[in-house]
């Protein structure tokens, strides 16, 4: 290792909601000073930490306004005091247990990120490197050496004991090549008519879909998937496509599993006539139905209507089709659709990694389209499903499945993709591990020191699971 390579206890790659969640989890549990004392560097490709991609979605959240703000709602006399009085914070708080536009969540995370940036950058031995891309990382001396490229094109190395991958996720189109839908390969014959959910949900995405459909009389749209993203696509199309493109039966949602509806209590579900659940679908901590897997807010209402729950009148523009393994009707719907939208999930971006000999480390996540990046302690898994030493992962599509003390319905097999959980218990697991591992070297400052920070770290906050959801 080069003597001039800056040394850190932890390098966090990706300063979006997940990367900053690790810091917020440390704030919550009163351990931010201990963490920063070990030396932390955040590497972020964009020019700011905090928002990542979340604000680029033109839909409402599936978590509450209060949930987003919870990360700064603890103890007076913290670095977040001023932000608590900010009009944007008050606007999110006023939404209380309702959804909010994700653009607002993004704007809020930008402000949280600016405060965290100041906190980290001012701490001796820590650095925030925005406008900087992490290119790869290699095991060196029991830790990691990360190659980075700054905005001016210069590349250099950072050394750390620990590495946290918070690099977000994408929807690789090549993945769709292996997807069998209704007994046929998805891409066969519909590649030209295909969009992915992420494209639709982004700002400008529905307008792009409208432009494709504009010249077609009574166009048909097939949306494939049963997750929140799939129903978000349906909701966005129903509410924002020009009405002349939405004749009866215009949109078909093709889903494999039953569509799960969140209910805060069994009594409320029964009052609406909803019975598609059993003991296995109740969170043992909160007694909520489908606490993790259930559709909420806008998406919930779309499906409540489509299933005529509680006497709701179905929207004639939307048809539900439950996919079977061999399904000629499903195949026909896809074949005759003018636009096919795949909402089949995201895959983690991660980073090219190599062992001490420079041999690439193949990750379990690369073995198949469902394989998680991390285990139940947020440790990144190699191809043999063994945790890679001192390597952690968090964020969209990392594949963390909440279990045990985190609650959630036993039947849940999906991923926890929510800021609040990352900022509390999930980020807390990573902080536990980072603080347990002794630092290999005493952290050196990566660049000239700035003025010492004046704000003091946050007070501990007892994590009350479910309280903010
Ligand atoms: C449509 C949609 C709606 C969602 N709605 C909600 C919601 O309502 N509530 C909720 O809690 N969650 C929601 N989520 C889930 C999740 O909170 C967001 O997706 C969130 O943006 C994920 O944060 P992230 O940090 O994992 O990834 P990102 O937001 O993608 O951030 C990753 C960051 O890492 C940086 N980066 C990546 N690679 C590198 C590299 N090699 N070097 C340097 N920097 C790098 C990127 O520049 C980016 O800033 C939603 C997700 C989707 C897709």
């Amino acid at each position: 290792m080069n003597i001039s390579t800056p040394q850190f206890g932890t390098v966090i790659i990706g300063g979006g909601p997940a990367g900053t969640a690790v810091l917020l989890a440390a704030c919550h549990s009163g351990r931010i000073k201990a963490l920063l004392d070990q030396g932390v560097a955040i590497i972020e490709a964009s020019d700011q930490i905090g928002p990542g991609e979340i604000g680029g979605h033109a839909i409402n959240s599936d978590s509450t306004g209060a949930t987003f703000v919870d990360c700064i709602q603890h103890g007076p006399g913290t670095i977040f005091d001023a932000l608590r009085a900010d009009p944007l914070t008050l606007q999110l708080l006023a939404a209380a247990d309702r959804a909010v536009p994700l653009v607002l969540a993004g704007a809020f995370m930008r402000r949280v990120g600016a405060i965290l940036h100041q906190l980290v950058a001012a701490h001796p031995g820590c650095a925030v490197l925005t406008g900087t891309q992490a290119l790869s990382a290699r095991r060196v001396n029991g830790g990691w050496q990360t190659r980075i490229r700054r905005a001016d094109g210069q590349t250099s190395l950072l050394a750390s004991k620990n590495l946290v991958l918070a690099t977000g996720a994408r929807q690789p189109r090549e993945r769709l090549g292996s997807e069998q839908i209704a007994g046929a390969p998805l891409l066969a014959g519909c590649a030209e008519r295909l969009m992915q959910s992420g494209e639709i949900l982004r700002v400008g995405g529905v307008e792009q879909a409208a432009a494709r459909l504009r010249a077609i009389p009574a166009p048909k749209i097939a949306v494939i998937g049963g997750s929140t993203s799939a129903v978000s696509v349906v909701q966005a199309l129903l509410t924002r496509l020009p009405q002349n493109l939405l004749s009866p039966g215009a949109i078909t949602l093709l889903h494999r599993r039953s569509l799960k509806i969140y209910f805060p209590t069994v009594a409320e579900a029964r009052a609406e006539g909803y019975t598609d659940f059993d003991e296995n679908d109740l969170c043992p901590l909160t007694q909520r139905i489908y606490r993790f897997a259930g559709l909420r807010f806008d998406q919930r209402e779309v499906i409540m209507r489509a299933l005529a729950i509680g006497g709701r009148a179905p929207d004639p523009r939307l048809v539900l089709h439950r996919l079977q393994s061999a399904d000629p009707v499903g195949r026909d719907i896809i074949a005759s659709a003018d636009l096919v939208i795949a909402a089949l999930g995201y895959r983690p971006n991660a980073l090219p990694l190599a062992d001490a000999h420079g041999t690439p480390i193949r990750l379990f996540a690369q073995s198949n389209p469902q394989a998680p990046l991390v285990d139940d302690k947020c440790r990144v898994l190699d191809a043999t499903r063994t945790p890679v030493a001192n390597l952690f992962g968090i964020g969209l599509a990392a594949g963390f499945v909440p279990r045990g003390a985190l609650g959630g319905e036993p039947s849940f097999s999906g991923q926890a993709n929510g800021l609040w959980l990352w900022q509390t218990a999930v980020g807390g697991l990573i902080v536990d591990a980072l603080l347990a591992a002794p630092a290999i070297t005493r952290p050196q400052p990566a660049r000239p020191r700035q003025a010492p920070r004046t704000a003091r770290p946050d007070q501990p906050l007892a994590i009350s699971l479910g309280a903010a959801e």
Side-chain angles (χ1 to χ4, degrees), residues 103 115 121 208 210 228 242 316 344 384:
V103 286
I115 294 169
Q208 235 181 305
T228 298
L344 298 171
T384 66

Side-chain angles (χ1 to χ4, degrees), residues 315-328:
D315 185 329
R317 302 169 301 171
L318 173 64
V319 176
L320 301 182
H321 177 85
R322 181 92 182 253
L323 285 164
Q324 312 298 325
S325 45
D327 186 345

Side-chain angles (χ1 to χ4, degrees), residues 13-19 43-46 48 51-55 57 59-63 67-68 102 132-135 166-169 201 229 232 346 349-351 394-396 417-420 422:
I13 303 178
I43 302 171
E44 168 53 47
S46 75
Q48 62 199 331
E53 299 287 324
I54 197 163
H57 296 112
I59 55 171
N60 282 344
S61 62
D62 63 0
S63 43
T67 308
F68 288 110
L102 283 176
T132 303
Q133 183 86 24
L135 302 174
T167 41
L201 298 177
S229 284
S232 297
Y346 290 76
N349 285 324
L351 192 76
I394 185 169
L396 184 63
N417 282 327
L419 265 65
W420 184 80
W422 299 340

Side-chain angles (χ1 to χ4, degrees), residues 74 78 92 116 126 151 212 220 242 248 276 300 353 400 436:
H74 43 96
T78 76
L92 291 170
L116 291 172
C126 294
R212 283 184 175 220
K220 297 281 188 203
D276 191 10
R300 180 178 188 263
L353 302 166
F400 180 86

Side-chain angles (χ1 to χ4, degrees), residues 21 25 28 70 419-429 461 463 465:
H28 277 205
D70 194 56
L419 265 65
W420 184 80
L421 213 52
W422 299 340
Q423 292 163 352
T424 52
V426 180
L429 290 173
L461 174 82
I463 296 167
L465 282 164

Side-chain angles (χ1 to χ4, degrees), residues 58-63 97-102 228 230-236 238-240 261 294-306 312 318:
I59 55 171
N60 282 344
S61 62
D62 63 0
S63 43
D97 59 357
R98 294 189 306 279
V100 294
L102 283 176
T228 298
V231 185
S232 297
V233 166
V234 170
Q235 201 263 345
L238 286 174
T239 52
R240 292 179 20 231
I261 313 276
L295 296 163
R296 300 190 184 208
F297 303 113
D298 296 352
Q299 295 77 18
R300 180 178 188 263
E301 196 49 38
V302 167
I303 299 305
M304 296 269 277
R305 259 192 93 177
R312 288 167 175 77
L318 173 64

